[in-house]
Amino acid sequence: TQFLAEEALRRANAADEAARAEAERSRQVAEETNFQLLEAQRIGKIGHWISNEVTKTVTWSPQMFEIAGLDPAPVLSVSQARTPIHPEDLPEFIAALKRCVASRQPVTLEHRWIRPGGALRYVHIDMTPQFDDAGVCIHLLGTAQDITERKTADEALKAAQQQLVDAIESI
């Protein structure tokens, strides 16, 4: 009987050790995956955000703070999260949020952000609503991508095209 008890204890300890090792491997994989996701966001100038519609708070990824030019914070109020949005573009942003929830569909928009030093950034937003079992919107999930370089290049191309048209018309 003693032998059987010792054998059962040995097997239980081995199973515990195997479970701990597997949990550690899973933690390492999750940590590496998170690092890779954040690095991809940094390279692509894409951040992600989650708004909690119940608590009226927003959580931003590190890249969101980089795009906005703000110091990182664990959680933002809705008003703090909207601070970077250009005042002229805020009504369109709020309308897009409402449209997203009402349609229960993803919504995309582009608008301007103003960084604390006054620099203007163009940002592409994608957002998707999440609902509870009762059909109440509990979260908005989104991404924000800094598209300033693309917008600047588009504007330069349009200006060059206009110069060409003007030159041809003057000839």
Side-chain angles (χ1 to χ4, degrees):
T1 309
Q2 169 108 10
F3 174 76
L4 292 176
E6 288 173 358
E7 181 63 19
L9 183 59
R10 187 187 64 73
R11 287 183 184 169
N13 286 340
D16 274 354
E17 185 59 35
R20 279 194 289 277
E22 181 61 28
E24 178 60 20
R25 280 191 297 276
S26 295
R27 187 196 63 74
Q28 289 173 345
V29 167
E31 193 173 281
E32 180 62 22
T33 301
N34 187 52
F35 172 78
Q36 291 172 353
L37 172 64
L38 291 174
E39 185 63 12
Q41 287 184 1
R42 185 191 64 74
I43 292 167
K45 297 182 181 181
I46 300 172
H48 69 274
W49 52 272
I50 302 168
S51 72
N52 184 321
E53 297 301 295
V54 177
T55 62
K56 302 297 183 202
T57 57
V58 182
T59 305
W60 280 5
S61 70
Q63 190 60 33
M64 292 290 294
F65 291 99
E66 178 65 30
I67 294 169
L70 299 173
D71 292 330
V75 177
L76 302 170
S77 68
V78 168
S79 62
Q80 288 172 316
R82 292 178 181 172
T83 299
I85 300 172
H86 192 288
E88 293 174 5
D89 297 347
L90 188 56
E92 178 188 5
F93 177 77
I94 293 171
L97 287 174
K98 290 178 181 178
R99 189 169 59 253
C100 183
V101 173
S103 70
R104 303 175 74 90
Q105 296 295 314
V107 170
T108 298
L109 77 145
E110 292 180 3
H111 61 262
R112 299 167 293 172
W113 283 14
I114 301 174
R115 293 172 60 109
L120 191 64
R121 307 306 296 172
Y122 290 90
V123 180
H124 175 94
I125 301 286
D126 288 301
M127 65 183 94
T128 302
Q130 280 190 334
F131 297 88
D132 65 12
D133 292 338
V136 175
C137 182
I138 54 172
H139 294 109
L140 286 169
L141 310 174
T143 60
Q145 182 175 21
D146 185 338
I147 59 169
T148 305
E149 291 174 11
R150 186 192 83 200
K151 283 288 206 180
T152 303
D154 286 349
E155 289 171 8
L157 177 61
K158 286 178 187 174
Q161 288 172 332
Q162 188 58 50
Q163 284 179 337
L164 181 59
V165 167
D166 292 346
I168 291 171
E169 287 178 355
S170 69
I171 292 174

